[in-house]
Every structure is written in structure tokens, then in C-alpha cells.
Amino acid sequence: MQVRAEARSVSLHWEDGQRNRFHYVWLRDNCRCDQCRHWQVGDRLLDSTQVPLDIRPQRVELKAPSLLEIAWPPDGHVSQFDVGWLLAHRPGQAVTVGQGLRRTTWDGAFADRIPELTHERVTSNDSELLGWLRVLHEYGVSLIRHVPCRLGEVGRVAETIGCIRSSHYGTIFDVESKPKPNALAYTAHGLLPHTDLPYRELQPRLQLLHCLLFEAQGGDSQLVDGFHAAERLREAHSASFDLLASTAVTFRQLEEGADLSIEAPMIGLDDDGRVDEIRFSNAKLQPFDVPEDQVISLYQAYFQFAELLRDPAHIIRLRLEPGDLLVFDNSRVLHGRTAYDPQSGARHLQGCYVDSDDLLSRIRVLERAAPPLSPDSSKLSTL
Ligand code: OGA
Ligand code: ZN
Ligand code: ZN
């Protein structure tokens, strides 16, 4: 590796032929020493804004093959940079989000490959937990079997991932037919595939649903990968896709103690145009408020997307059994159920939510102790 001190930056020429420039203001600001960062907390102590934009070093030196040392004015403050750290922070390097995490979309044929594992396995050790969470991140769905049918158990499973995200339905909510329901889910009606809490600014990402008791007739579950359906929409009706990705619609929850409302598109895209979030709820959608010449095209786009989401070729159907715990990415995988007959027997699920930053945090923390990833370690066969 070659180091060259230039007018405004240090230029590093790596072994692979690449060259990167690290500006002096950037280097001074990112000094790793104990004066500039708290040695325990890791937070920056240095007030970045006090670094002169045109700062120039007094000395730049490659100390050991992998240690760059820089002395700064006015007092000769010394910064030492591990070359590996600089390599990892080259321009364009995103913060590592977990080793090689990816997303794989699926359709109805996925029904017999849905990642399934036992409660005992998930809770047995950290490497099983990591394997599960990686698969959950990749496919956005998994089914845990033999979870003890105890009230609150769903919360204990959630806490193996992170903090439970509570809502106006409580920390853990009970899904059963109630005399005074404040959600359609708390009746015996069927529920078309939907995302939960689409009317919240931050729609919960992970949803857990634990079946405690199921004697009723009906009430079968449906799951559909909204990212897959959105991509089919983009292929088949690109104008409709663009409309749903660019038109904010209103979702609202109005009840005795709450009036939650948000305007957001049904299809959310990230900066690179990839589908990143689905908000979809026939029940919670408010009257479209668009110029009258756009009403028909918006309905048409909505219906086309709904048709893909309800296409039997895209849907997984299953009947939960007591002890089953479904975990899915609520902003990606829509869930629904058929109507059931409460006279024919009881049906009781408990659910809760966990945010996605907790999931990614847990994955990163578990990876610290994990051996490096082999190319196929997130394949289902490892479960
Ligand atoms: C819910 C829900 C599904 C079910 O509680 O949000 O969609 O199977 N429940 O009862
Ligand atoms: Zn320092
Ligand atoms: Zn729901």
C-alpha cells in the first residue's frame, strides 16, 4: 500500500489497485483516540464543528504496515488509523447491515417451504437464533411450532429479538371475538390480506401471532408476499405501479380513545427504487382525495394490485394449530384470515410487534460471536 500526503487529503493506493482519498477534515473529525471519543461509550467527544475545514496535518506517517499516524495543528494532537478501518470506511461503503443479508421474494409455491422450526430450537442457543433471524429477514416469514400455550409466551419469543413495540391495542394484544370490538380482527369476520397499523407513521415491521386455542370452524390464515406482488404489478402495469408508489392515500383508525391517521403511498420505495414497504388495508383506507380526473386511474391501480395480492397463485394458506407462532414482516408480507363461526368453538391468538431496527441489531450482535458466513448459510436447509 502506498500513502501520499496531498494538499487537502491523504491518498491511499491499495494493493488491489484502487485509490481512495481521505480528506484531512474527515480524518481529524474521525480521530479514534480517547480524547476524541469516549473509550467506553464510543460516542464522539470532539465537537466536529471546531475542526477547521482547511486543516492540514503537521505530519503524516505510515508507522507499521497497517497504522497511519497523523499529527495535527495547533498542538500536535496525534490520530492513529488502522488501515483496515480506513478500508472499511472508504467512500461508498455502506454501514454493514449484517453479513450479506438479502431478501428473497416468494409466491404460493412457497407454501411447503415456509421456514418452520420448533420453539425448542429457536430458544436453545444463539447460533440457532441467528439462523432463524437471518431466514426471517430474507423471506419475511417463519412459523415456530410447539410454543407453549401460555398467555404472554408470544412476548417472550418477541424479546429474544428485541423490545416489544406497543400500540393502542396494548403491548400484547388478544385476537378473539370480543363483545365490544375496536378492530375487525376482534370479530369473527374474515380479514382480507392486509398490513397491521397502516395508519401509524411507523408501521410495525415484525408481527408475531401465537395460536393458543383454536376449536372454531373457519378462520384459516393467508399470507402473501407484498414485495413479490408489487414487482408483478411493476411488470404488468407499470403506470399503476408508479401511481401507487407516488400517490399518498390516507389510512385512519378512529375509535373512542384514538384518532390515528397518516397519508402515505401503498407502495413505498427506497432511494434506489426498490420496494421497501407495503401499506395495504381495505378496511382502513379512507376516501381517495385526488383530483377527479385521477379517481378512475387510482382505483384501477388499486384493484390491479389487490388482484395480484389475492391471486391464489401468490397466496399461502394454512390453518394455525395451538402452539403455532407465525412471525412475519408486516410491512412486506400481508396476512388475512377467513371468517369463522364462534358458535362452533373458541379461537384465541395473542400477538405483538417488534421494529425492524431491533431485528437488525440482534442479527449484528449475534454475528459478533458467529463464525464467518458460508455462502449458503441462510439457506433453509440449515434450519
Ligand atoms: C390481526 C389479524 C389474523 C387472525 O390481529 O391483525 O389480522 O388470524 N389476525 O386472526
Ligand atoms: Zn484524537
Ligand atoms: Zn392483522
Side-chain angles (χ1 to χ4, degrees):
M1 197 195 58
Q2 286 169 15
V3 180
R4 207 169 64 214
E6 300 177 341
R8 301 179 59 191
S9 57
V10 174
S11 163
L12 296 186
H13 198 154
W14 309 102
E15 247 105 74
D16 66 3
Q18 289 220 39
R19 193 190 293 274
N20 289 114
R21 284 201 171 84
F22 295 87
H23 286 275
Y24 293 130
V25 60
W26 186 99
L27 288 163
R28 179 65 192 89
D29 181 35
N30 289 296
C31 178
R32 320 305 298 154
C33 86
D34 289 354
Q35 246 175 294
C36 295
R37 301 204 149 241
H38 192 276
W39 66 280
Q40 287 164 309
V41 181
D43 285 7
R44 183 185 277 108
L45 293 169
L46 171 76
D47 176 357
S48 307
T49 66
Q50 299 305 303
V51 180
L53 262 185
D54 58 356
I55 191 168
R56 298 255 189 114
Q58 295 169 339
R59 175 171 58 83
V60 177
E61 205 176 331
L62 194 59
K63 279 295 238 209
S66 65
L67 196 70
L68 182 70
E69 191 174 283
I70 306 181
W72 304 102
D75 54 358
H77 184 95
V78 172
S79 303
Q80 292 190 323
F81 295 96
D82 182 77
V83 166
W85 186 89
L86 288 171
L87 190 62
H89 290 82
R90 278 177 301 172
Q93 293 293 108
V95 178
T96 342
V97 172
Q99 298 178 43
L101 283 180
R102 57 183 171 217
R103 284 195 164 124
T104 304
T105 56
W106 45 265
D107 62 16
F110 193 58
D112 43 14
R113 289 186 293 129
I114 177 166
E116 213 181 284
L117 53 170
T118 62
H119 181 253
E120 196 189 345
R121 195 158 176 186
V122 175
T123 51
S124 63
N125 63 56
D126 282 355
S127 101
E128 295 287 349
L129 180 59
L130 177 59
W132 168 46
L133 297 182
R134 295 183 63 85
V135 165
L136 178 58
H137 181 273
E138 174 161 2
Y139 297 95
V141 65
S142 68
L143 179 59
I144 307 179
R145 303 273 200 191
H146 310 304
V147 180
C149 289
R150 280 194 296 259
L151 289 173
E153 196 61 38
V154 68
R156 276 183 279 278
V157 173
E159 280 169 347
T160 64
I161 309 175
C163 306
I164 301 176
R165 159 90 183 275
S166 57
S167 76
H168 62 295
Y169 293 119
T171 308
I172 292 177
F173 51 87
D174 288 279
V175 186
E176 55 191 337
S177 178
K178 301 177 185 180
K180 281 178 71 181
N182 61 345
L184 216 49
Y186 304 158
T187 70
H189 281 279
L191 304 172
L192 291 166
H194 64 280
T195 60
D196 269 20
L197 278 48
Y199 42 76
R200 284 198 170 256
E201 189 172 336
L202 191 61
Q203 183 176 252
R205 200 90 213 196
L206 285 187
Q207 175 163 187
L208 294 84
L209 279 177
H210 181 202
C211 178
L212 293 166
L213 187 63
F214 198 168
E215 284 153 4
Q217 274 160 24
D220 293 352
S221 303
Q222 299 137 13
L223 295 165
V224 58
D225 187 346
F227 286 7
H228 177 80
E231 289 306 337
R232 297 291 79 74
L233 183 69
R234 183 164 13 207
E235 280 167 15
H237 310 286
S238 67
S240 294
F241 177 93
D242 292 343
L243 198 60
L244 294 186
S246 62
T247 309
V249 294
T250 306
F251 297 97
R252 186 174 184 193
Q253 172 69 13
L254 188 58
E255 59 178 83
E256 205 176 311
D259 187 349
L260 293 154
S261 173
I262 183 109
E263 284 173 37
M266 289 189 223
I267 299 176
L269 304 179
D270 68 14
D271 292 344
D272 298 320
R274 284 183 298 238
V275 178
D276 190 39
E277 180 185 65
I278 306 291
R279 290 180 188 255
F280 198 94
S281 172
N282 185 69
K284 298 296 174 197
L285 201 51
Q286 299 304 296
F288 289 147
D289 180 11
V290 291
E292 58 188 46
D293 59 343
Q294 289 169 29
V295 171
I296 297 295
S297 45
L298 184 56
Y299 266 108
Q300 186 184 41
Y302 171 41
F303 291 174
Q304 283 165 340
F305 191 29
E307 193 181 329
L308 288 164
L309 289 166
R310 296 176 197 168
D311 184 337
H314 294 160
I315 287 186
I316 294 178
R317 294 170 196 283
L318 68 162
R319 184 178 168 89
L320 294 176
E321 289 173 19
D324 287 353
L325 197 159
L326 261 182
V327 190
F328 52 92
D329 178 346
N330 178 60
S331 291
R332 166 180 169 182
V333 173
L334 287 72
H335 63 290
R337 71 156 189 241
T338 59
Y340 65 94
D341 175 9
Q343 305 305 323
S344 63
R347 184 181 191 273
H348 184 195
L349 316 183
Q350 278 198 319
C352 65
Y353 308 109
V354 175
D355 285 326
S356 62
D357 44 6
D358 279 83
L359 170 65
L360 291 171
S361 165
R362 176 61 79 224
I363 289 175
R364 289 185 200 116
V365 169
L366 292 168
E367 277 177 352
R368 287 180 199 159
L373 201 60
S374 67
D376 63 354
S377 55
S378 74
K379 294 256 167 71
L380 299 180
S381 55
T382 59
L383 285 177

